[in-house]
Amino acid sequence: MKTCESFARARSVTMGDVDSGVYAFGEFRVDAVRRVLQRNGKPIALTPKVFDTLAFMIRRHGQLLEKNELMQELWPDRVVEENNLSQNIAALRRALAERRGENRYILTVPGHGYRFVADVEAVDDTPLERVTLAVLPFENLSNDPEREYLADGLTEDTITALGQIDPRQLSVVGRTAVMAYKRSDKAIADIGRELDAVYLVEGSIRAEGGRMRVTAKLIRVRGQLHVWSATFDGEPRSVLEFQRELSRVIAEQVRLQLSPERLAALAHRQTQNADAYDHYLRGRHFWHQLTPETTRSAMHHYAKATHFDPGYALAWCGIADAWCSAPITGDVPPLAALPHARDAVAQALRARPNIAEAKASRGFLAFWLEWDWTAAEEAFRDSIRLDSSYPLPHRMLGLLCSHLGRTREAAAEMQRARELDPLLAVHHALSAQVAYAGRDFTAARQFARQAIVIDRDFWIGHFQLAQAQVALGAHEDALIALNDAARLSGGNSKVAALRGVANAKLGRLDDARAAADALASASATRYVPPCAAALVKAALGDMDGALHWLDLAVAARDVHLMFLPIDANWDCLRGDPRFSALLARCEFTVQARDSPASDPSR
């Protein structure tokens, strides 16, 4: 792999050119192969026939296109009214923001037809060679171990910023992959080979009193050549400036072109307030752990960040994501979480409507709490368009597709998330969930085991392993996994419910009834997702009891209802018309499963 020194080249279209199918005119770009129209990088929706009209006119730009010729091209096998063509042209003018009487793009030739008059360039979209760069964990040289979060946060923020410079040419290794090298004494050459990286960034941070020193160097792995190094001293606010300066200088050093627009976008992602940034890093540090206690700590620090900077979009995204996932990871009442999540999403979008994190948070809200899966899919896809290297929307889109029964697509999105950040345990744990929903229980077990290998303290990995073991009939093994899940999850109701299911299947009915009774008793004093007790009742064969608790779940907007259409543990109720009616009340739209989920070995 080597550094590519040139970007895509534009040239005037002539009949002799090799046509790549990608064109640019004004502020627009058209990819005729992928059928995408963009304005300043933002996609514009067109109907298929309107896009066909645009593509044909671009290829014949400057030429007079007779109406009959256009109609024959667009409707070759049909006889249509001339009004159809007029409507297509009008829709195209609206998409191109061409006002009445303007002829910037489309000129009407009365009595004859139309001419596309804008200057069109064909873009040479030959695939570019990419440079892979890894940001090694910044070393905390302070005497205070409490500063560890600052070193980790600076590492992650630098990775994120560099990943958005130019994903076509600069591939940045994900956070968890590089975190495996924290305090490692491996040689640069070995690390570079293992990460398949051309360049490595090494750094350290020392904070003493009110001063801070950040040192970083860019190393080309081949020959261990020090390309660039710098030291920054100053107040904590300078960490923010350093992060942006680091992104810019490294980009220059690997000979990439960083446009002023991209640099401005990077600068506006982060706050200018040092206290807000400090709390944001603390919140993100806690957020990755996904337990009730750490989620509460994350919320606290994110809220402190927005106190110091009310327009801090990334902190509002953190608050939104924490509230949206809290009903799943921490048994928080969904109806209590909903207004907090909505407010945080609105604040994030108001502050920075066009960053990937804000779109993903909008999708989080629509998926988990609003059950508007059409809006969720649109938001996740918008997030991916803004930053295709951001793994979270791929992961969430995979879950969404799984719930919609689009199993192959779900597996593909989960695979993409694992490729972007292969050592993040949650990607493997939720890949297990997708495989489980697709009834590939063996793959689910393997994915769950991979999650546990990556992080033995990640409770969701142990829960997913237990869920797969129950489906495979290995109930004793499931109970062993549930012991670990219970120890690490902070008392999540899903763990207790699945333990009751496993005991019921083993014939230990007294233990299963005790689990159901304990869940019911606890719900008298605090919120316990009603689906938990319902699941154990169903495993015991008490269908009336299960449906009673499911009715309570509908009233509470229990997020676990979303799993009813796809979870094998509910198969015992699928023939009951009362169960079908309950699903209809939830208004879930689930398609038939199209195939088993992808095998983990792919």
Side-chain angles (χ1 to χ4, degrees):
M1 191 177 296
K2 61 183 179 180
T3 305
C4 179
E5 299 186 14
S6 63
F7 267 49
R9 301 171 299 282
R11 63 189 188 280
S12 298
V13 179
T14 67
M15 295 302 291
D17 282 334
V18 176
D19 191 350
S20 69
V22 182
Y23 310 94
F25 59 93
E27 57 204 8
F28 295 92
R29 181 184 176 97
V30 177
D31 186 331
V33 177
R34 295 173 55 232
R35 299 181 64 80
V36 174
L37 169 66
Q38 292 179 320
R39 181 181 187 184
N40 293 327
K42 299 178 183 178
I44 298 174
L46 296 179
T47 65
K49 198 60 69 177
V50 173
F51 188 91
D52 291 341
T53 306
L54 173 62
F56 184 65
M57 296 184 82
I58 284 176
R59 290 194 178 100
R60 301 278 299 277
H61 82 284
Q63 302 177 26
L64 173 62
L65 300 175
E66 299 281 352
K67 292 181 180 178
N68 288 341
E69 180 184 9
L70 273 167
M71 294 171 68
Q72 179 62 33
E73 173 69 24
L74 297 172
W75 294 278
D77 302 318
R78 293 175 54 195
V79 176
V80 298
E81 299 291 333
E82 186 176 307
N83 186 49
N84 292 63
L85 177 61
S86 300
Q87 290 176 353
N88 263 18
I89 296 295
L92 184 54
R93 289 187 193 275
R94 289 193 297 271
L96 300 177
E98 192 172 71
R99 298 186 182 91
R100 181 182 295 275
E102 286 186 332
N103 301 119
R104 287 184 299 159
Y105 304 112
I106 302 172
L107 174 68
T108 301
V109 181
H112 293 280
Y114 304 93
R115 179 181 286 119
F116 198 85
V117 294
D119 291 332
V120 177
E121 293 177 321
V123 178
D124 182 355
D125 239 27
T126 304
L128 300 170
E129 294 182 89
R130 303 178 76 201
V131 174
T132 299
L133 180 146
V135 181
L136 297 182
F138 276 68
E139 186 178 0
N140 175 24
L141 299 180
S142 305
N143 294 323
D144 184 3
E146 286 294 316
R147 288 289 184 176
E148 197 68 25
Y149 79 91
L150 189 58
D152 289 349
L154 186 56
T155 304
E156 185 172 350
D157 231 34
T158 302
I159 290 170
T160 300
L162 290 173
Q164 295 189 12
I165 288 176
D166 193 331
R168 297 174 64 222
Q169 289 192 271
L170 181 62
S171 174
V172 183
V173 178
R175 168 188 175 275
T176 48
V178 298
M179 282 301 179
Y181 295 93
K182 191 169 184 176
R183 288 183 280 273
S184 171
D185 57 0
K186 284 190 175 182
I188 289 295
D190 293 334
I191 295 175
R193 184 179 62 256
E194 292 172 8
L195 294 175
D196 194 24
V198 178
Y199 292 92
L200 296 178
V201 176
E202 282 190 322
S204 64
I205 182 168
R206 185 190 297 275
E208 293 181 356
R211 303 287 295 177
M212 184 172 297
R213 167 171 289 190
V214 179
T215 302
K217 53 189 173 184
L218 176 68
I219 303 169
R220 191 167 65 202
V221 174
R222 190 175 184 179
Q224 288 82 64
L225 177 66
H226 284 210
V227 178
W228 165 85
S229 63
T231 299
F232 297 79
D233 288 289
E235 302 296 328
R237 181 183 300 277
S238 66
V239 177
L240 309 177
E241 299 165 2
F242 165 77
Q243 185 258 6
R244 288 189 289 272
E245 179 71 5
L246 182 66
S247 304
R248 183 185 64 79
V249 173
I250 290 176
E252 290 176 352
Q253 295 300 324
V254 294
R255 300 198 292 275
L256 296 174
Q257 298 178 23
L258 179 60
S259 70
E261 293 79 11
R262 282 189 179 275
L263 187 59
L266 290 174
H268 285 105
R269 286 178 52 79
Q270 280 296 355
T271 180
Q272 301 300 307
N273 184 289
D275 291 321
Y277 185 63
D278 183 82
H279 280 288
Y280 172 68
L281 293 181
R282 291 176 186 263
R284 196 161 55 183
H285 172 74
F286 285 115
W287 162 244
H288 287 301
Q289 301 170 52
L290 291 177
T291 68
E293 182 179 355
T294 58
T295 297
R296 287 191 293 271
S297 296
M299 289 177 179
H300 167 75
H301 286 293
Y302 285 140
K304 292 285 285 184
T306 61
H307 169 76
F308 287 108
D309 182 355
Y312 195 177
L314 293 181
W316 285 114
C317 291
I319 293 173
D321 295 348
W323 275 111
C324 288
S325 60
I328 283 286
T329 61
D331 289 345
V332 170
L335 292 176
L338 180 60
H340 295 288
R342 278 180 173 161
D343 177 66
V345 168
Q347 296 279 7
L349 289 171
R350 187 176 302 120
R352 293 283 180 265
N354 291 316
I355 61 172
E357 290 87 349
K359 297 293 187 182
S361 294
R362 174 69 191 101
F364 248 67
L365 171 65
F367 178 67
W368 283 122
L369 298 180
E370 294 179 336
W371 299 352
D372 185 347
W373 293 353
T374 300
E377 180 168 2
E378 180 180 351
F380 293 140
R381 293 193 185 280
D382 283 346
S383 179
I384 291 169
R385 277 192 288 269
L386 288 167
D387 185 357
S388 61
S389 64
Y390 183 32
L392 187 144
H394 289 284
R395 181 175 90 213
M396 290 306 302
L397 183 57
L399 279 184
L400 173 60
C401 290
S402 173
H403 281 268
L404 290 170
R406 288 150 46 186
T407 310
R408 283 192 295 269
E409 188 177 354
E413 290 296 335
M414 297 308 298
Q415 181 177 348
R416 181 59 180 148
R418 296 194 307 274
E419 290 170 349
L420 288 168
D421 209 341
L423 294 181
L424 191 61
V426 70
H427 288 162
H428 297 271
L430 294 184
S431 293
Q433 171 59 39
V434 167
Y436 175 84
R439 306 303 173 100
D440 190 346
F441 304 131
T442 300
R445 179 169 60 185
Q446 188 172 340
F447 277 127
R449 285 173 171 165
Q450 289 169 354
I452 295 167
V453 167
I454 292 169
D455 185 354
R456 292 202 61 82
D457 293 333
F458 188 57
W459 75 269
I460 299 175
H462 293 284
F463 173 80
Q464 290 294 339
L465 176 58
Q467 182 174 250
Q469 298 286 34
V470 168
L472 290 167
H475 303 118
E476 293 286 3
D477 291 336
L479 290 172
I480 294 172
L482 287 168
N483 288 337
D484 290 322
R487 174 174 55 85
L488 299 166
S489 70
N492 191 282
S493 64
K494 286 188 288 297
V495 178
L498 192 58
R499 187 190 301 278
V501 172
N503 278 317
K505 292 182 180 295
L506 281 167
R508 299 171 186 169
L509 303 185
D510 288 343
D511 290 339
R513 293 189 188 100
D517 291 344
L519 289 164
S521 177
S523 68
T525 56
R526 62 180 176 85
Y527 175 77
V528 176
C531 282
L535 190 66
V536 184
K537 292 285 188 182
L540 286 165
D542 181 2
M543 303 310 173
D544 290 339
L547 287 162
H548 165 73
W549 282 100
L550 288 177
D551 279 332
L552 297 178
V554 173
R557 294 282 293 184
D558 184 350
V559 293
H560 299 85
L561 287 166
M562 296 166 61
F563 296 93
L564 264 62
I566 58 175
D567 189 342
N569 286 314
W570 295 106
D571 287 354
C572 57
L573 272 168
R574 300 212 187 275
D576 193 318
R578 295 173 296 174
F579 185 74
S580 300
L582 185 136
L583 286 178
R585 286 162 58 194
C586 296
E587 298 184 349
F588 296 128
T589 302
V590 182
Q591 302 166 5
R593 289 185 297 276
D594 48 19
S595 77
S598 293
D599 184 89
S601 63
R602 285 187 56 189

